[in-house]
Amino acid sequence: MNIVPLTLYACALVAYAWHFAQRNSVVGRSATTLLVAAALSHTFVIGMQTMEVGHVPVAGATSAISTFVWLLALSYLYVEMTTDERAMGVFILPLLVALQTIPALRPGVEDRAAVLQGPLFGVHVSSLLFAYASFALACVIGITYVLLFKEIKAKHLGFFYARLPSLQVLDRMNQRAIVIGWIFLTIGMIVGAIWAAQARGGYAGDPRVQAISLEDPKIFVAVLCWFVYSFELFAARRIGWGGRRAAYLSALGFLIVLFNFVPITYFFTKSHNF
Amino acid sequence: MHLLLVGISHRTAPVELRERIDFQARGIAEALQSLASRGSTREAVVVSTCNRAEVYVACDEANATRNDLVRFVSEFNGVSSSDIAPHVYGVTDLDVARHLFRVAGGLDSLVMGEPQILGQVKDAHTIASETRSSGPVLNRLFHSSFAVGKRVRTETGLGSGAVSVSYAAVALARKIFGDLGGRSVAVVGAGEMGKLTALHMKSQAVRHVTIVSRTMAHAARTAEAIGGASAAPWEELDGVLSASDIVITATGAARPILTKAHIEAVMRPRRNRPLFIIDIAMPRDVEAAAGEIEQVFLYNIDDLQATVRENLARRASEVTRAEAIVNEEVEKFGGWFRSRGAIPTVVALRERFDAIRRSELERLDFKLSALPPEARARVDEITHLIVEKLLLTPTEQLKSLDNSEAVSTYTEALTRLFALTNQPGDEQSDRDRAAKGGRVEPFKRPTGRR
């Protein structure tokens, strides 16, 4: 079922790319329409899965990715509609399409272990997914910032100069996305720690619960992420690391997030493979 | 009906002549009135800007009207015909449409793709429609030209990119800072160049402009001349630079007054807020190496000129796309314009049919005279409806013809088949009939025409 949103995301990607190259407003509106359609069909898919299994499908790695793509699409649409800026679409859509292929290739919802029932786990996963979506946006905005910055610095005002909003706007959007992401990352990690403490009491025999410690790759990298973004926020405010350095840091931070989200979840972690 | 355009522009006439032919100054409404009183035109619109003066008309006789329009232009502006004649261009029918569409799209402008012209064309049409001198043909023509202007602006890059140095500087500042509303500007040097640039920045509604000069009196005088700006002595230069977002340097110094090390020191308290330095001095005031500092954007006058040249080149490359839009729209307008060729025949055909109806009713009047008035009215109504029904399809078919060959074939055939004696062009009678509601009173009124 995940194939329908995937196809629509792919069509939207083509439309956004076309719009970016040609700057035709009709194509731009079609691109947004396609993305809205993709997000709606994705909502429907996730809704159906929720009805099927009786809970929001976020427990397994694959369904978490699907939900992440959905959240990112919605967050991007929110940014596009509030700023009236379509230029970022061409950067965010490839990520959506690439990630959405994973759930499209592995249909179905994984069973949820008994230990994962309860509200704390839901809060833990959903706030982290939302944080990651914000970081993805920050990364894309950061990349566009660097592209525009380089053009202006090199005194060659060309392709991106004509298509992107001002550096100031990009910097502000980047900072805002990181602040929101950092808040949810912090909430998600704290709630996760509380949940783990409770689970140790009830499900001490589960090897996955036992593996929950800072030495687990997934948890370790998440903490690393938290430090990277905390440093970024501190540096931007206190030592004037705004602009290009902040943009590079947000790209680096999201690379770590992505690494944690896909390969580590599937291959390395011992605690988060429910 | 023909379209006709007579005019002069920056392409054909020197500025001395363009200055003398100024409809704007003498009043466009008056010009339209005076033109209408000559009786050679049916509809007219006058487009007048500093780079062009053009009279667009719809008329019956293109050649005679062309000469009359040249006379009108010379008489109205008090310039002798012989002065104007060598510079005037005149085109007819669809070439008029092509010309106007290129004008509205900015393709005929001195600065290719400049956006003001579309507004000027719109204003010209507004005046003409307020004074009722434009009619169905020119209304259609001008509305199509607005569509061309809009399409060229949104679908091509013809109007994009600044094409003068000062606009290029402002456009760059906007790309760096977004809104310039809360920004502070420092101008170093109180000379003429610095003053002009400061004025330009001031017009962009920046928050504050500060003038710094080696001679405080100069700075104060310049600040006063600009109005709303403040002056600062040379010793406070660093403080002013630290507090500013945009710095314009325009001193006459022989050696750079701002070195890389100097600007690095200025950047520290700013916590790396971006600093945009525009060096318009010659020789340069700012060391080129200063541009390497993170968050410093340094542009000198050559850099700005280079971006202007790039923009002009980019505009030129968009011309083909804009011309394609013009062609498309001329084609569309042409279809409509040619279909209008059939209108006189349609009118004549309808009049012919109605004349037959009326004469038959008159002939049978004695047989119907016994009927009560309501019944007579009913007979009139029914016969009228029959005629209308019979003519409905042929009328629609004629109006949908969009190539002139088909129009003339049909016109000729109909003229012969129905012996349409009162021929083309007489739309006046059509209008009169329309004013009477297109209906005749029951029986026995004077038959208007045959």
Side-chain angles (χ1 to χ4, degrees):
Chain A
M1 255 207 308
N2 271 307
I3 199 85
V4 178
L6 174 64
T7 315
L8 285 166
Y9 284 128
C11 295
L13 168 61
V14 172
Y16 272 102
W18 188 8
H19 168 68
F20 194 70
Q22 297 288 326
R23 282 181 293 173
N24 183 326
S25 58
V26 179
V27 177
R29 277 195 294 274
S30 325
T32 307
T33 313
L34 279 169
L35 184 56
V36 169
L40 281 179
S41 69
H42 204 165
T43 313
F44 180 74
V45 168
I46 292 175
M48 290 298 281
Q49 287 174 339
T50 308
M51 303 230 304
E52 193 186 322
V53 297
H55 57 86
V56 182
V58 288
T62 309
S63 36
I65 289 174
S66 171
T67 309
F68 167 76
V69 169
W70 177 71
L71 276 172
L72 180 53
L74 291 183
S75 315
Y76 167 72
L77 277 172
Y78 172 76
V79 171
E80 181 184 305
M81 280 164 189
T82 47
T83 58
D84 208 19
E85 262 308 326
R86 270 198 191 93
M88 246 73 77
V90 71
F91 299 92
I92 212 93
L93 261 294
L95 186 65
L96 293 181
V97 173
L99 285 177
Q100 183 64 13
T101 46
I102 298 174
L105 292 174
R106 297 172 160 230
V109 179
E110 301 91 337
D111 286 333
R112 183 169 64 160
V115 66
L116 301 182
Q117 275 155 17
L120 278 184
F121 175 74
V123 174
H124 167 68
V125 175
S126 48
S127 46
L128 282 177
L129 287 180
F130 191 72
Y132 292 171
S134 296
F135 290 145
L137 276 178
C139 165
V140 163
I141 294 164
I143 290 170
T144 55
Y145 180 96
V146 171
L147 291 173
L148 179 59
F149 184 94
K150 286 196 164 157
E151 276 199 359
I152 296 182
K153 200 79 169 170
K155 300 173 183 178
H156 183 79
L157 312 177
F159 194 74
F160 296 108
Y161 183 83
R163 286 166 175 80
L164 293 176
S166 66
L167 287 177
Q168 170 77 17
V169 166
L170 289 173
D171 194 33
R172 217 166 27 210
M173 283 163 74
N174 176 281
Q175 289 299 318
R176 206 179 299 161
I178 288 178
V179 168
I180 293 172
W182 184 85
I183 292 171
F184 279 92
L185 180 65
T186 312
I187 294 174
M189 283 169 57
I190 292 171
V191 171
I194 297 171
W195 173 85
Q198 286 182 357
R200 277 208 190 88
Y203 300 87
D206 193 320
R208 292 170 299 195
V209 173
Q210 280 175 353
I212 294 177
S213 74
L214 201 56
E215 282 148 41
D216 184 75
K218 178 115 182 164
I219 297 170
F220 177 77
V221 175
V223 172
L224 180 70
C225 257
W226 186 88
F227 277 108
V228 169
Y229 284 110
S230 303
F231 174 72
E232 203 267 16
L233 288 179
F234 168 78
R237 275 162 186 69
R238 288 283 155 222
I239 48 179
W241 268 38
R244 183 155 62 155
R245 292 192 185 107
Y248 278 136
L249 275 180
S250 60
L252 171 74
F254 185 66
L255 269 184
I256 301 173
V257 165
L258 209 54
F259 178 64
N260 202 10
F261 198 45
V262 184
I264 288 190
T265 309
Y266 280 110
F267 306 117
F268 300 115
T269 181
K270 292 187 176 58
S271 68
H272 278 71
N273 49 0
F274 289 100
Chain B
M1 178 87 78
H2 290 285
L3 280 171
L4 178 64
L5 153 67
V6 165
I8 60 160
S9 76
H10 62 95
R11 289 191 194 280
T12 63
V15 65
E16 295 77 28
L17 183 64
R18 298 205 304 270
E19 274 167 4
R20 286 163 68 199
I21 300 179
D22 190 351
F23 288 102
Q24 199 100 52
R26 293 180 179 80
I28 290 178
E30 287 72 26
L32 290 169
Q33 227 163 34
S34 142
L35 186 58
S37 67
R38 300 171 80 93
S40 60
T41 61
R42 285 172 175 277
E43 302 175 19
V45 175
V46 171
V47 176
S48 171
T49 73
C50 52
N51 283 324
R52 68 183 68 247
E54 292 175 337
V55 184
Y56 292 84
V57 301
C59 60
D60 294 325
E61 227 337 295
N63 274 332
T65 311
R66 182 186 190 281
N67 297 333
D68 190 51
L69 282 186
V70 177
R71 273 197 301 280
F72 161 73
V73 172
S74 77
E75 281 164 27
F76 188 79
N77 293 287
V79 182
S80 81
S81 300
S82 56
D83 282 357
I84 300 179
H87 304 286
V88 163
Y89 47 83
V91 289
T92 53
D93 294 342
L94 290 189
D95 290 335
V96 176
R98 182 174 308 277
H99 182 89
L100 178 62
F101 292 177
R102 295 188 76 247
V103 167
L107 282 163
D108 199 50
S109 297
L110 192 60
V111 178
M112 185 73 83
E114 56 102 2
Q116 285 97 324
I117 184 66
L118 183 59
Q120 290 163 334
V121 171
K122 279 184 179 169
D123 292 344
H125 178 252
T126 308
I127 297 176
S129 50
E130 273 166 7
T131 56
R132 295 179 174 279
S133 60
S134 77
V137 178
L138 288 187
N139 284 345
R140 176 86 177 210
L141 177 70
F142 274 78
H143 282 294
S144 302
S145 80
F146 305 157
V148 174
K150 191 166 172 237
R151 282 190 62 191
V152 168
R153 203 172 48 215
T154 55
E155 293 173 28
T156 76
L158 195 68
S160 67
V163 287
S164 75
V165 166
S166 49
Y167 276 102
V170 170
L172 254 172
R174 282 188 197 288
K175 234 357 177 223
I176 296 169
F177 297 110
D179 186 22
L180 295 185
R183 303 294 162 181
S184 304
V185 177
V187 179
V188 184
E192 198 53 29
M193 276 295 271
K195 183 176 147 193
L196 282 177
T197 322
L199 267 173
H200 193 70
M201 280 291 166
K202 188 88 194 150
S203 72
Q204 299 299 318
V206 295
R207 195 185 55 180
H208 197 70
V209 177
T210 311
I211 317 271
V212 187
S213 172
R214 284 204 196 270
T215 323
M216 182 60 186
H218 285 173
R221 202 169 337 117
T222 310
E224 203 174 310
I226 291 169
S230 60
W234 193 254
E235 298 72 47
E236 286 174 23
L237 179 62
D238 287 11
V240 172
L241 293 182
S242 286
S244 304
D245 301 293
I246 301 167
V247 174
I248 299 156
T249 59
T251 72
R255 300 172 55 78
I257 50 163
L258 294 173
T259 59
K260 186 181 178 191
H262 194 154
I263 293 176
E264 259 167 356
V266 167
M267 286 303 280
R268 228 159 280 139
R270 301 167 56 84
R271 287 234 186 89
N272 277 317
R273 259 186 312 127
L275 180 66
F276 181 28
I277 306 176
I278 308 163
D279 185 359
I280 56 174
M282 196 57 77
R284 283 176 291 173
D285 275 343
V286 185
E287 231 176 41
E292 293 160 12
I293 303 170
E294 181 81 18
Q295 298 292 28
V296 169
F297 301 94
L298 171 62
Y299 275 69
N300 63 37
I301 193 95
D302 284 353
D303 300 330
L304 291 174
Q305 258 154 7
T307 73
V308 166
R309 272 196 301 277
E310 265 177 43
N311 287 340
L312 282 172
R314 196 167 321 120
R315 283 187 179 201
S317 71
E318 291 291 311
V319 166
T320 339
R321 286 171 72 188
E323 294 281 6
I325 292 175
V326 168
N327 286 340
E328 221 173 277
E329 295 288 333
V330 167
E331 200 55 42
K332 249 192 254 174
F333 178 79
W336 177 84
F337 185 67
R338 281 187 290 267
S339 75
R340 282 189 57 85
I343 284 181
T345 314
V346 171
V347 172
L349 190 65
R350 299 181 76 87
E351 281 177 355
R352 179 83 182 131
F353 272 48
D354 203 54
I356 295 170
R357 180 183 78 93
R358 274 180 276 139
S359 71
E360 282 309 292
L361 285 175
E362 272 163 42
R363 203 167 58 77
L364 298 172
D365 195 21
F366 69 96
K367 285 188 180 170
L368 299 170
S369 56
L371 294 176
E374 303 89 70
R376 285 162 64 101
R378 190 59 48 83
V379 171
D380 181 67
E381 197 181 317
I382 290 168
T383 52
H384 175 78
L385 282 176
I386 291 171
V387 169
E388 287 289 316
K389 272 268 157 63
L390 284 170
L391 286 173
L392 183 65
T393 319
T395 305
E396 279 173 355
Q397 292 290 332
L398 281 170
K399 280 188 175 167
S400 69
L401 294 177
D402 63 351
N403 88 51
S404 43
E405 232 170 84
V407 167
S408 65
T409 314
Y410 275 90
T411 308
E412 215 180 295
L414 285 169
T415 312
R416 225 183 267 177
L417 279 175
F418 292 99
L420 303 179
T421 43
N422 58 327
Q423 250 301 310
D426 215 341
E427 280 174 32
Q428 191 54 44
S429 63
D430 190 30
R431 249 176 258 157
D432 291 347
R433 271 163 39 83
K436 278 188 258 163
R439 291 292 305 274
V440 285
E441 286 135 41
F443 309 14
K444 284 195 180 153
R445 353 78 305 124
T447 57
R449 44 184 49 255
R450 98 172 11 101

